[in-house]
């Protein structure tokens, strides 16, 4: 990973009517980095990505993407970016090979046939290249989409919820591949809802209601939010959770299997709140996980938004 | 690092190959593109008749003299009138007209034959249901000469003075190009234009909206394409479909309807190219304006109906007021009807049809330019 920046934008803003969907977001992604982009549904992640690759006109902002002006040079950006849409957007009535061939022609790839064959080979799609894309399962569609995005050898991949609806095995394979490609120098900006995927990213940004709330490595994000968390096990955790919620100092009480995670942003207030419930249960102070932090961020931003 | 790369033939080819493959996969649409011309041609070619005959008529016979019967026979022999009823009163005749059971009531008054022979010029009343002028016009137009001719044989000898004298002018009519007034000679070539208009505009009208609805537009836009590559790439495959339709229609019109082909086939095919291109441009432009496939269909019909009604396909072009003729001149179908009828029936050459070809080319150019301008390069 170098210090060179693949994405370096500031003040990116997008409004639909009088609704601000992306509000003054700055983002820096280094070359070769896998950057996770997280946030609840409708938080503006997709809109931000579409602005980066010129699919939406930004209402404000400046900066560069792969060294090209993000506002004015979207044609050059498009040639060096692979964009994998949230919904499968290749042609379901074309076969795997035909889809890849179409993309290869569109980018004017030299040695097109070889490139298409190599791509089919590399993704383990050999023997299925004649199958129609519409007949593929979610995991295979995702593989095809990734192969198609890679065929013109982009420098930056923008992946919008690439693993939605994909089984755990396929997800793991997918992330293996992402890491291999990143090691070769490819840069990734990936949106996801899965915490395990977030932890596989080099760095993260959390966005809610169009605002960037926090960013950094997993460690930095957790530290930045400064959440204290206790894990508790024992009888009748459900009623305990009900009693704790709404108490001063307790921001959230979330069940994790046989455990309850109780978190608050003021450690002392949190300890005072849980003191009456210590008896008969096993309490351990733990390091807040990414999930605790994100649920907390989501709730807090909702409060701010509703207010 | 040139930001604005030019038009790329390679990307155009990519679009054309893709569209062809998709067309081939969509079996129903493909079958319709080839089946519609045949079905419509057979249906309308045989069904539409602008010279209706054998219309049901009733007669009120108050006189049974020989001349009255001659006239009745003459009407029947003209093949315009089929006498299906004899009525006793005028009231009964009116009722039949009102109920639509007969188209005409012929009223032969009392003492008709006697008055005729006396030279009193008796009147015959013909009542017609003229709600649809086209249905009665021809039959009524034939009446006057019919009576004169019919009575010639009866008015011989002493009655000869009653026969009409020849008018001061001897009028001779040459009905050129279609002397036998065969409706199909007019309708079948016209159907070529109508069928091409419908399929071409509709199919390309859906082209962009379909990409939008299926979500593939997002992908297409994320690639470095130019609007002209996408739009022309979507048009080219359908030019070939259009030619297949033209071929089918020409074969059917030649072998089934025996429509003459006096002019040059090459010229017709060349003119058809411009016409097909004009319709495809219109369709693709509709597609860039419409938000979804339903809107595209609605817009197609918005164009299709005036095309049929104002182009001279259904009603005589010259019968329309001037403003409507001006409006009609806009539609490609108007010009193509003149071209195709001109080449097939009149044997028109390039010089004759060129004044209808350039408006088609102009139409295509303007509409396609609008389409390229309207094509949204972002998802905004």
């Amino acid at each position: 990973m170098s210090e060179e920046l693949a994405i370096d934008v500031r003040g990116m803003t997008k409004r639909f009517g009088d609704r601000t969907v992306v509000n003054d977001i700055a983002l820096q992604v280094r070359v070769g980095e896998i950057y996770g982009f997280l946030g609840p549904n409708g938080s503006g992640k997709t809109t931000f990505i579409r602005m980066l690759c010129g699919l939406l006109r930004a209402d404000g902002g400046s900066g560069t993407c792969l060294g090209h002006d993000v506002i004015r040079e979207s044609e050059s950006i498009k040639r060096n970016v692979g964009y994998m849409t949230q919904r499968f957007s290749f042609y379901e009535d074309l076969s795997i090979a035909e889809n890849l061939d179409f993309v290869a022609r569109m980018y004017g790839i030299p040695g097109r046939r070889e490139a298409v064959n190599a791509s089919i080979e590399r993704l383990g799609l050999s023997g299925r290249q004649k199958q129609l894309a519409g007949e593929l399962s979610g995991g295979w569609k995702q593989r095809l989409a990734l192969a198609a995005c890679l065929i013109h050898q982009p420098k930056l991949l923008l992946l919008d919820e690439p693993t939605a609806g994909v089984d755990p095995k396929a997800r793991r394979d997918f992330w293996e591949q992402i890491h291999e490609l990143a090691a070769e120098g490819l840069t990734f900006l990936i949106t996801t809802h899965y915490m395990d995927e977030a932890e596989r990213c080099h760095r993260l940004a959390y966005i809610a209601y169009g605002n960037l709330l926090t960013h950094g490595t997993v460690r930095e994000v957790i530290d930045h939010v400064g959440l204290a968390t206790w894990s508790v096990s024992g009888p009748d955790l459900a009623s305990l959770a009900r009693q704790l919620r709404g108490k001063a100092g307790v921001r959230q009480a979330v069940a994790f299997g046989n455990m309850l995670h109780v978190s608050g942003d003021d450690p002392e207030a949190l300890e005072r709140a849980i003191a009456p419930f210590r008896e008969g249960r096993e309490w351990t102070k733990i390091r807040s996980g990414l999930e605790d932090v994100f649920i907390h961020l989501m709730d807090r931003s909702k409060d701010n938004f509703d207010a | 690092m040139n930001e604005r790369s030019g038009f790329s033939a390679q990307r155009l080819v990519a679009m054309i190959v893709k569209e062809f493959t998709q067309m081939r996969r969509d079996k129903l649409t493909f079958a319709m593109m080839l089946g519609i011309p045949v079905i419509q041609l057979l249906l309308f070619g045989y069904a539409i008749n602008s010279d209706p005959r054998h219309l049901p008529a009733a007669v009120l016979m108050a006189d049974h003299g020989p001349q009255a019967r001659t006239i009745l026979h003459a009407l029947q022999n003209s093949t315009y009138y089929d006498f299906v009823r004899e009525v006793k009163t005028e009231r009964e005749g009116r009722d039949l007209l009102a109920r639509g059971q007969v188209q005409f009531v012929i009223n032969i008054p009392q003492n008709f034959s006697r008055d005729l022979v006396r030279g009193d010029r008796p009147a015959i009343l013909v009542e017609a249901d003229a709600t649809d002028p086209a249905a009665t016009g021809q039959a009524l137009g034939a009446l006057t000469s019919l009576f004169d001719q019919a009575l010639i044989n009866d008015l011989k000898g002493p009655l000869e003075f009653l026969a009409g004298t020849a008018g001061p002018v001897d009028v001779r009519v040459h009905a050129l190009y279609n002397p036998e007034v065969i409706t199909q000679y007019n309708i079948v070539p016209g159907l070529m234009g109508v069928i091409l208009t419908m399929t071409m505009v509709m199919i390309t009208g859906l082209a962009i909206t379909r990409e939008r609805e299926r979500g593939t537009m997002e992908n297409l836009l994320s690639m470095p394409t130019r609007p002209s590559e996408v739009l022309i790439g979507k048009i080219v495959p359908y030019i070939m479909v259009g030619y297949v339709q033209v071929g089918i229609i020409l074969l059917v019109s030649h072998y089934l309807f025996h429509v003459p082909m006096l002019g040059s086939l090459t010229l017709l095919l060349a003119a058809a190219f411009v016409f097909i291109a004009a319709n495809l441009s219109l369709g693709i432009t509709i597609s860039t304006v419409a938000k979804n496939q339903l809107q595209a269909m609605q817009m197609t019909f918005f164009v299709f109906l005036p095309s049929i009604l104002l182009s001279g396909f259904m009603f005589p072009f010259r019968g329309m007021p001037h403003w409507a003729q001006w409006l009609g001149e806009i539609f490609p179908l108007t010009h193509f009807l003149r071209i195709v009828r001109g080449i097939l029936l009149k044997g028109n050459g390039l010089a004759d049809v060129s004044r209808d070809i350039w408006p088609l080319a102009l139409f295509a150019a303007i509409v396609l330019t609008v389409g390229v301008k309207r094509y949204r390069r972002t998802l905004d």
Side-chain angles (χ1 to χ4, degrees):
Chain A
M1 207 185 301
S2 71
E3 288 306 304
E4 202 188 330
L5 292 173
I7 301 174
D8 184 12
V9 293
R10 290 165 298 284
M12 296 301 284
T13 302
K14 181 71 191 176
R15 291 179 210 97
F16 291 128
D18 51 4
R19 207 160 54 88
T20 304
V21 184
V22 171
N23 182 23
D24 192 24
I25 286 188
L27 192 74
Q28 296 188 322
V29 179
R30 297 187 197 108
V31 169
E33 191 167 39
I34 300 175
Y35 203 98
F37 212 44
L38 289 101
N41 290 330
S43 57
K45 302 187 297 282
T46 302
T47 306
F48 180 80
I49 285 186
R50 284 175 173 174
M51 280 195 288
L52 276 187
C53 59
L55 281 178
L56 286 175
R57 256 186 294 274
D59 290 317
S62 61
T64 59
C65 184
L66 298 171
H68 301 289
D69 188 291
V70 75
I71 306 294
R72 282 190 304 274
E73 300 183 314
S74 58
E75 289 301 309
S76 307
I77 293 174
K78 280 180 187 176
R79 236 167 283 144
N80 293 299
V81 167
Y83 171 41
M84 186 168 155
T85 53
Q86 194 167 342
R87 182 177 152 196
F88 182 74
S89 61
F90 287 90
Y91 297 97
E92 303 213 335
D93 47 358
L94 294 189
S95 71
I96 291 172
E98 284 161 352
N99 267 304
L100 292 172
D101 192 62
F102 172 67
V103 178
R105 276 187 208 262
M106 279 308 226
Y107 285 100
I109 289 162
R112 197 182 82 245
R113 266 171 228 288
E114 292 73 38
V116 169
N117 286 338
S119 161
I120 290 172
E121 195 81 30
R122 189 168 55 240
L123 284 140
L125 295 165
S126 317
R128 316 185 57 158
Q129 66 258 45
K130 292 229 170 99
Q131 202 170 350
L132 293 188
E135 296 167 355
L136 298 174
S137 67
W140 283 102
K141 272 187 182 164
Q142 176 233 41
R143 276 175 185 235
L144 169 61
L146 184 64
C149 290
L150 284 170
I151 207 160
H152 63 292
Q153 299 184 309
K155 300 193 185 88
L156 170 67
L157 272 180
L158 304 171
L159 310 180
D160 196 1
E161 292 190 21
T163 55
V166 170
D167 68 56
K169 169 78 169 71
R171 264 174 60 194
R172 174 181 293 192
D173 294 347
F174 180 78
W175 276 92
E176 295 285 317
Q177 203 188 345
I178 299 293
H179 273 274
E180 276 168 32
L181 290 165
E184 290 169 21
L186 221 72
T187 310
F188 287 87
L189 181 61
I190 304 180
T191 74
T192 180
H193 285 300
Y194 299 112
M195 290 308 130
D196 59 320
E197 293 189 351
E199 294 188 7
R200 282 164 167 260
C201 295
H202 297 126
R203 287 199 299 157
L204 306 169
Y206 190 87
I207 166 175
Y209 302 104
N211 296 297
L212 188 82
L213 299 184
T214 180
H215 63 95
T217 61
V218 173
R219 197 72 271 144
E220 283 166 2
V221 166
I222 292 172
D223 291 348
H224 173 79
V225 176
L227 199 68
T229 302
W230 287 81
S231 169
V232 52
S233 59
D236 204 11
L237 291 175
S239 82
L240 176 66
R242 267 199 303 281
Q243 290 171 61
L244 282 170
R245 276 181 201 137
K247 281 243 180 317
V250 176
R251 294 295 310 210
Q252 65 192 35
V254 184
F256 279 82
N258 296 326
M259 313 281 245
L260 189 69
H261 284 194
V262 186
S263 312
D265 30 18
D266 180 353
E268 284 168 27
L270 180 64
E271 260 183 83
R272 275 197 300 279
I274 63 172
F277 305 99
R278 292 262 188 166
E279 203 68 21
R281 298 186 181 87
E282 197 177 320
W283 290 79
T284 354
K285 189 156 195 205
I286 57 165
R287 267 157 65 152
S288 301
L290 208 47
E291 184 147 358
D292 302 315
V293 168
F294 283 144
I295 292 170
H296 173 62
L297 282 174
M298 208 187 297
D299 287 346
R300 201 171 65 184
S301 65
K302 201 186 290 165
D303 294 348
N304 291 343
F305 193 73
D306 292 342
Chain B
M1 212 179 298
N2 58 334
E3 164 65 12
R4 300 194 64 79
S5 62
F7 182 87
S8 152
Q10 192 173 23
R11 289 197 292 264
L12 177 63
V13 170
M15 284 301 298
I16 294 174
V17 170
K18 169 185 99 67
E19 290 293 322
F20 257 122
T21 319
Q22 287 184 307
M23 193 201 298
R24 196 157 46 84
R25 295 270 152 74
D26 189 356
K27 296 245 159 48
L28 184 67
T29 307
F30 194 62
M32 270 181 26
M33 284 188 293
L34 303 182
I36 280 178
V38 176
I39 293 168
Q40 294 199 333
L41 213 52
L42 294 180
L43 196 61
F44 300 134
Y46 283 116
I48 298 177
N49 182 5
S50 56
D51 184 24
R53 286 165 189 261
H54 300 289
L55 301 164
V59 60
L60 177 61
M61 284 283 262
D63 179 85
H64 290 274
Q67 283 83 6
R69 263 177 281 127
T70 307
I71 283 190
L72 219 53
H73 281 298
L75 290 172
Q76 186 107 10
N77 288 340
S78 73
T79 70
Y80 282 115
Y81 302 88
D82 269 2
F83 288 101
V84 293
R85 290 284 276 275
E86 188 175 346
V87 292
K88 297 287 170 222
T89 63
E90 281 184 37
R91 177 67 191 274
E92 207 184 332
R94 275 293 172 87
D95 285 347
L96 288 175
L97 282 174
R99 287 199 297 269
Q101 286 173 313
V102 297
Q103 194 87 25
F104 302 98
V105 176
I106 315 288
N107 198 330
I108 296 179
Q110 278 184 336
N111 306 323
F112 173 79
S113 299
R114 195 196 68 193
D115 290 356
L116 182 84
V117 173
R118 277 188 188 170
D120 284 353
R121 299 201 73 237
I124 288 182
L125 176 66
V126 178
E127 288 175 303
D129 173 358
T131 41
D132 180 1
T136 52
Q138 304 263 12
L140 293 179
L143 276 180
T144 317
S145 59
L146 209 71
F147 286 139
D148 289 346
Q149 306 250 315
L151 292 171
I152 281 178
N153 290 331
D154 284 24
L155 302 176
K156 289 271 166 66
L159 294 175
E160 200 164 337
F161 72 98
L162 286 170
T165 52
V169 178
D170 183 11
V171 181
R172 292 184 189 178
V173 178
H174 280 197
L176 293 177
Y177 310 126
N178 188 2
E180 293 156 87
V181 201
I182 299 173
T183 307
Q184 284 146 354
Y185 286 10
N186 187 40
I187 289 292
V188 172
L191 275 173
M192 183 191 293
V194 171
I195 290 167
L196 283 174
T197 302
M198 192 176 78
T199 45
M200 295 293 106
V201 176
M202 195 184 292
I203 282 170
T204 44
L206 300 175
I208 303 278
T209 43
R210 191 191 298 125
E211 297 252 7
R212 217 174 271 284
E213 280 181 21
R214 289 187 184 170
T216 51
M217 200 64 198
E218 190 175 0
N219 208 336
L220 199 56
L221 287 175
S222 74
M223 294 182 208
T225 48
R226 304 196 64 73
S228 49
E229 293 157 2
V230 175
L231 298 188
I232 296 175
K234 281 181 174 287
I235 283 179
V236 169
Y238 295 104
I239 291 183
M240 293 177 209
V241 173
Y243 268 116
V244 173
Q245 292 189 333
V246 169
I248 294 173
I249 294 167
L250 281 177
L251 287 175
V252 174
S253 78
H254 181 76
Y255 286 104
L256 281 182
F257 296 106
H258 310 292
V259 178
M261 174 81 194
L262 299 180
S264 145
L265 180 64
T266 319
L267 179 61
L268 180 62
L269 293 180
F273 177 83
V274 189
F275 176 63
I276 291 170
N279 280 313
L280 292 175
S281 306
L282 178 62
I284 207 88
T285 300
I286 285 178
S287 201
T288 60
V289 177
K291 290 210 161 52
N292 52 49
Q293 297 198 46
L294 184 66
Q295 279 188 7
M297 288 291 271
Q298 287 168 336
M299 282 193 230
T300 304
F301 273 96
F302 184 71
V303 173
F304 186 57
L305 217 52
S307 275
I308 286 195
L309 299 181
L310 298 183
S311 64
F313 172 72
M314 279 188 127
F315 308 110
F317 190 78
R318 292 214 172 84
M320 301 192 299
H322 283 290
W323 62 266
Q325 293 194 17
W326 274 101
L327 206 59
E329 295 283 353
I330 298 173
F331 296 102
L333 184 58
T334 308
H335 298 283
F336 187 67
L337 287 180
R338 288 182 201 147
I339 293 172
V340 69
R341 286 170 179 167
I343 294 176
L344 288 182
L345 304 179
K346 299 181 181 175
N348 280 356
L350 179 61
D352 304 309
V353 298
S354 58
R355 74 194 168 83
D356 280 305
I357 289 185
W358 72 260
L360 288 180
L362 183 68
F363 180 91
I366 291 175
V367 169
L368 191 59
T369 309
V370 172
V372 171
K373 287 260 182 294
R374 285 280 325 185
Y375 178 81
R376 280 162 279 191
R377 305 182 74 174
T378 61
L379 292 168
D380 286 274

